[in-house]
């Protein structure tokens, strides 16, 4: 008996791109980014770059058959992604291959038929053959011009019209169609999982960039990988859409090519690697300029504390989580993850404030009461025990250790960033708040006058305590810096939680 594979094993059948943005080169990168192991079979050798296609060489179909035999004679396949096929003869070979070998794996067909310039890439005969091949696929991922060709209609100019075309096609071919809104205009570039009976819409924000070379290849490969891992089509589509959005958002920084450049397939994985850095000497290293506070320090001691926090505020405001929270596009699941962790955090934060006594304890009672009401509203349907993430546990353990086991000056400095940084973030985001904002109540809570009064009181108390204990300043500054770093990680963790989810 063989052990279960460590990764889903994905076969891509497609053409090439020597500059790496599309074809099997992009497929391999996408499969690896989505958590799979890639095999590749080449249909055509394409001389192309970011400016266009210069030449195509198609080897004899017998060599295609030989490549496919090499795969099936030796390895097992969990999912297949099909890209550029090019000719009727190649389509026939792939159809025979699927009929013989794809009964137990998922098949994703990216029907490469129409270039972004609207040029047809297949003969009418080959288009008909590809349409029949689509009946063997579990999912097809056409762009809007390709969807129109398959549906025998004009290219849709509105998302609802594209969904109508896709639903008819799904019914006729007995497959699932992914509608991709990237070719449409506007602020949104949503995708949709369309079957004969249902539509599952996946919100996607449009990225203003010309560098989208190979997005069709990349999306379909990531989708196939998630399907091969056992995810259902809606979940796989949501993951692939979100991963690709991040790859597109960072495409410009690659600076590859003079034309329409590739996306950054590896950005998410590099981001996760940075978050996994456990080197102690790197914990408080931060490459961000300081941001001046809206709530002023009360004196030189709290100025020193703010100097330790200020770069973290800059970094927090640049987080994708915070930017999406501000403009109202934050995924609801991300916000609920944040709130659930915040619910755990607040109980232990209140314990830390009570340990400090006096006005700190009063603040704890008032702030926790208001916040917990929002928790009950948002998390009313939560049917599980709230458990802490590693970040949340580390942060709350640090706060409890600082307030219960250290002098008052250090404990106060440790809890201060949750006052000060939260106000600074909330006040800046409040400028984007409005009555229809989906997170209006959260934004209002941390930008209000009542919370500001609590923040000023906390700053004043810290200043007085440190004035009476000047020898504790260096340790207090470090405690404030550590708490500020945890604030950054606390906000950022929801943007990592979606990457790894159980089937």
């Amino acid at each position: 008996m063989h052990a279960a594979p460590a990764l889903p094993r994905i076969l891509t059948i497609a053409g090439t791109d020597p500059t790496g943005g599309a074809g099997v080169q992009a497929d391999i990168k996408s499969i690896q980014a989505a958590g799979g192991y890639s095999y590749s079979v080449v249909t055509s050798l394409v001389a192309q770059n970011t400016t266009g296609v210069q030449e195509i060489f198609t080897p004899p179909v017998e060599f295609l058959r030989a490549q496919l035999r090499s795969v099936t004679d030796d390895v097992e396949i969990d999912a297949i992604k099909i890209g550029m096929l090019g000719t009727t003869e190649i389509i026939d070979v792939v159809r025979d291959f699927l009929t013989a070998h794809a009964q137990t794996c998922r098949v994703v067909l990216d029907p490469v038929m129409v270039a972004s310039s609207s040029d047809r890439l297949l003969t009418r005969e080959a288009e008909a053959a590809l349409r029949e091949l689509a009946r063997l696929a579990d999912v097809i991922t056409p762009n809007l011009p390709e969807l129109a060709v398959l549906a025998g209609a004009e290219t849709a100019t509105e998302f609802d019209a594209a969904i109508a075309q896709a639903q008819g096609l799904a019914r006729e071919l007995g497959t699932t169609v992914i509608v991709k809104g990237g070719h449409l205009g506007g602020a949104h570039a949503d995708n949709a999982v369309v079957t004969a009976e249902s539509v599952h819409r996946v919100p996607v924000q449009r990225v203003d960039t010309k560098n989208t070379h190979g997005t069709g290849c990349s999306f379909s490969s990531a989708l196939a990988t998630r399907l091969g891992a056992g995810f259902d089509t809606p979940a796989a589509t949501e993951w692939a859409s979100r991963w690709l959005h991040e790859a597109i958002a960072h495409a410009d920084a690659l600076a590859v090519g003079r034309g329409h450049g590739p996306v950054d397939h590896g950005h998410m994985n590099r981001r996760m690697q940075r978050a996994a850095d456990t080197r102690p000497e790197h914990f408080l290293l931060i490459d961000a300029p300081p941001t001046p506070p809206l709530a002023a320090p009360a004196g030189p001691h709290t100025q020193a504390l703010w100097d330790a926090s200020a770069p973290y505020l800059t970094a927090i405001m640049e987080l994708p989580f915070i930017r999406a929270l501000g403009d109202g596009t934050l995924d609801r699941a991300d916000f609920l993850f944040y709130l659930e962790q915040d619910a755990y955090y607040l109980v232990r934060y209140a314990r830390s404030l009570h340990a400090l006594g006096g006005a700190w304890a009063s603040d704890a009672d008032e702030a926790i009461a208001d916040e917990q009401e929002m928790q009950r509203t948002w998390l009313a349907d939560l049917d599980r025990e709230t458990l802490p993430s590693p970040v949340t546990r580390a942060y709350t353990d640090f706060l409890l250790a600082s307030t219960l086991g250290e002098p008052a000056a250090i404990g106060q400095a440790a809890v201060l960033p949750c006052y000060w940084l939260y106000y600074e973030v909330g006040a800046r985001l409040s400028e984007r708040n409005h009555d229809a904002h989906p997170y209006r109540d959260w934004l209002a809570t941390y930008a209000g006058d009542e919370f500001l009064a609590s923040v000023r009181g906390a700053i004043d108390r810290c200043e007085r305590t440190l004035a009476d204990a000047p020898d504790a300043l260096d340790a207090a500054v470090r405690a404030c810096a550590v708490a500020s770093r945890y604030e950054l990680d606390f906000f950022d963790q929801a943007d990592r939680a979606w990457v790894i989810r159980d089937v």
Side-chain angles (χ1 to χ4, degrees):
M1 179 181 292
H2 293 288
L7 303 173
R9 299 152 297 185
I10 314 302
L11 169 63
T12 171
I13 304 172
T16 65
D17 178 356
T19 58
V24 294
Q25 285 89 341
D27 294 345
I28 291 169
K29 296 174 190 176
S30 304
I31 291 165
Q32 291 175 335
Y37 180 87
S38 58
Y39 317 133
S40 60
V41 166
V42 174
T43 57
S44 296
L45 301 172
V46 184
Q48 66 171 310
N49 54 33
T50 65
T51 66
V53 175
Q54 290 79 49
E55 191 173 344
I56 299 175
F57 172 73
T58 302
V61 293
E62 280 306 317
F63 185 67
L64 174 59
R65 289 193 180 95
Q67 292 180 78
L68 292 168
R69 281 195 301 271
S70 294
V71 173
T72 56
D73 285 352
D74 185 45
V75 299
E76 296 181 26
I77 306 168
D78 296 306
I80 300 170
K81 178 264 169 147
I82 303 167
M84 176 183 176
L85 298 179
T87 69
T88 303
E89 292 77 16
I90 291 175
I91 294 170
D92 290 343
V93 170
V94 173
R95 184 186 62 244
D96 293 343
F97 172 77
L98 294 182
T99 302
H101 299 287
Q103 292 90 346
T104 60
C105 61
R106 307 298 297 275
V107 177
V108 176
L109 172 63
D110 182 20
V112 180
M113 306 170 70
V114 184
S116 57
S117 61
S118 298
D119 293 331
R120 303 285 271 263
L121 302 177
L122 293 177
T123 64
R124 297 289 181 182
E125 180 184 15
E127 286 177 358
L130 188 61
R131 196 172 188 277
E132 289 305 305
L133 182 67
R135 297 181 185 276
L136 301 180
D138 295 286
V139 182
I140 62 174
T141 61
N143 60 31
L144 294 186
E146 290 161 350
L147 174 61
V149 172
L150 291 169
E154 294 296 320
T155 301
T157 58
E158 296 181 355
F159 199 71
D160 288 345
I163 288 177
Q165 289 181 2
Q167 198 140 38
L169 188 63
R171 187 178 300 110
E172 181 180 353
L173 299 181
T175 189
T176 297
V177 181
I178 306 299
V179 173
K180 301 181 294 185
H183 280 74
L184 298 174
H188 301 279
D190 294 356
N191 295 328
V193 181
V194 181
T195 69
E197 298 82 22
S198 65
V199 176
H200 177 81
R201 190 157 179 164
V202 179
V204 179
Q205 293 298 303
R206 186 175 301 280
V207 178
D208 183 16
T209 179
K210 69 172 184 175
N211 295 317
T212 56
H213 179 54
T215 50
C217 307
S218 303
F219 173 80
S220 56
S221 296
L223 175 64
T225 306
R226 303 304 285 186
L227 293 173
F231 291 87
D232 62 28
T233 306
T237 303
E238 289 173 1
W239 194 98
S241 299
R242 185 158 183 177
W243 165 77
L244 183 60
H245 179 270
E246 180 171 339
I248 295 172
H250 296 275
D252 292 0
L254 288 178
V256 172
R258 295 180 290 106
H260 296 279
V263 304
D264 188 350
H265 299 89
H267 188 274
M268 181 200 73
N269 285 346
R270 296 197 307 277
R271 177 169 63 85
M272 297 294 283
Q273 288 169 0
R274 288 193 296 271
D277 186 356
T278 58
R279 288 171 289 184
E281 65 272 19
H282 287 187
F283 184 64
L284 293 180
L285 286 181
I286 183 166
D287 183 19
T291 295
L294 300 176
H301 303 92
T302 45
Q303 179 65 59
L305 297 183
W306 178 254
D307 290 343
S309 289
Y312 292 97
L313 174 60
T314 306
I316 288 170
M317 295 306 300
E318 290 299 315
L319 291 175
F321 177 90
I322 292 296
R323 287 183 290 179
L325 176 62
D327 62 28
T329 61
L330 182 66
D331 188 283
R332 180 180 172 85
D334 287 8
F335 189 65
L336 293 179
F337 176 92
Y338 160 79
L339 282 184
E340 188 174 356
Q341 291 306 302
D342 204 31
Y344 180 95
Y345 171 89
L346 283 169
V347 174
R348 284 143 188 84
Y349 184 63
R351 189 180 304 168
S352 299
L353 293 180
H354 277 290
L356 295 173
W360 299 101
S362 300
D363 278 354
D365 294 338
E366 294 175 8
I368 299 305
D370 292 341
E371 180 83 9
Q372 286 184 334
E373 177 59 33
M374 184 157 49
Q375 301 288 342
R376 284 190 291 270
T377 300
W378 281 92
L379 302 176
D381 296 330
L382 191 68
D383 58 355
R384 63 176 182 272
E385 178 187 3
T386 296
L387 298 174
S389 71
V391 168
T392 304
R393 182 180 292 279
Y395 190 9
T396 54
D397 285 353
F398 166 75
L399 293 177
L400 288 168
S402 298
T403 54
L404 293 170
E406 298 288 350
I410 297 171
Q412 291 179 17
V415 301
L416 185 61
C418 190
Y419 284 87
W420 209 345
L421 285 177
Y422 259 71
Y423 172 74
E424 299 292 336
V425 171
R428 286 164 173 81
L429 294 183
S430 69
E431 299 173 359
R432 307 172 73 177
N433 203 4
H434 52 82
D435 289 343
H437 198 292
Y439 307 116
R440 176 173 56 87
D441 291 344
W442 188 95
L443 297 181
T445 297
Y446 289 109
D449 292 339
E450 185 175 349
F451 185 61
L452 176 58
S454 296
V455 172
R456 292 193 185 283
I459 294 171
D460 289 343
R461 292 192 295 275
C462 280
E463 184 67 37
R464 292 195 299 271
T465 299
L466 284 166
D468 292 338
D471 290 345
L473 181 60
D474 287 346
V477 167
R478 180 172 177 82
C480 186
V482 169
S484 299
R485 167 59 194 256
Y486 278 130
E487 287 291 335
L488 173 65
D489 288 345
F490 193 87
F491 280 123
D492 189 44
Q493 63 180 330
D495 195 36
R496 303 196 297 266
W498 67 269
V499 175
I500 300 175
R501 288 178 178 156
D502 293 334
V503 177

